[in-house]
Amino acid sequence: MKSKRQAKIMEIISTTNVETQEQLLDALREAGFNSTQATISRDIKELRIIKELTSFGTYHYTAAAREVPGTFTGRLNTIFRECVTSFDYAQNIIVIHTLPGLANAAASALDTMSRSVVLGSIAGDDTVFIVMRDTNSAAAFCGEIKNLLS
């Protein structure tokens, strides 16, 4: 359902001048998708939809230009590999230790992975806390982190 809804969102913003989330939500409802504003907000973030200034001085939603593979995301992954000193999990929480001052960069790299099992993350100076949906998700994600660091 999520992929169909997101495909419809992309179709709507490419064919209609949508200025607000409320307008987008109304258009989705007309198309048969019953969603909440919070869901639409998450979809906008995941799809990297941005507001663009029109020639009339108003703003409308549009798809952001996709990053060229190997540029920004690649750099974040390199930073992640270079700055992580250790990681582990306890139940559904993952703790990642980094070199001083690099926790935000590590968290940003993790955020670009866009995993649905990640509920949220918070970064300090050298520590990142990640809250996962459940213990199995945390264990699996730690495995992914281990592979990324290898």
Side-chain angles (χ1 to χ4, degrees):
M1 186 67 172
K2 177 180 176 179
S3 60
K4 289 181 182 180
R5 182 184 65 246
Q6 288 185 345
K8 190 63 173 177
I9 289 171
M10 295 303 285
E11 179 185 326
I12 290 169
I13 67 166
S14 66
T15 59
T16 311
N17 191 16
V18 179
E19 296 179 14
T20 66
Q21 286 184 9
E22 186 176 310
Q23 288 175 337
L24 182 57
L25 193 55
D26 290 341
L28 279 172
R29 286 186 181 140
E30 288 175 17
F33 292 90
N34 191 18
S35 294
T36 64
Q37 186 275 329
T39 300
I40 300 305
S41 183
R42 282 190 297 274
D43 287 340
I44 288 170
K45 181 178 178 184
E46 286 179 20
L47 294 169
R48 295 192 172 133
I49 294 173
I50 60 170
K51 280 195 168 184
E52 183 178 68
L53 184 63
T54 67
S55 58
F56 303 110
T58 60
Y59 288 89
H60 73 277
Y61 284 112
T62 187
R66 297 289 179 206
E67 296 167 359
V68 176
T71 56
F72 185 67
T73 303
R75 287 183 194 152
L76 281 175
N77 287 338
T78 300
I79 290 169
F80 184 81
R81 283 191 300 273
E82 298 295 323
C83 75
V84 172
T85 58
S86 67
F87 63 93
D88 204 351
Y89 74 98
Q91 294 185 10
N92 69 323
I93 297 175
I94 298 174
V95 178
I96 299 174
H97 294 282
T98 69
L99 296 171
L102 293 174
N104 280 309
S108 183
L110 291 169
D111 288 344
T112 62
M113 293 181 187
S114 300
R115 299 287 195 253
S116 62
V117 293
V118 176
L119 297 178
S121 64
I122 187 166
D125 182 58
D126 62 358
T127 306
V128 180
F129 287 98
I130 305 167
V131 179
M132 307 296 289
R133 289 206 180 276
D134 54 43
T135 302
N136 292 336
S137 298
F141 200 63
C142 277
E144 290 182 42
I145 292 170
K146 184 177 180 180
N147 290 336
L148 186 62
L149 296 178
S150 298

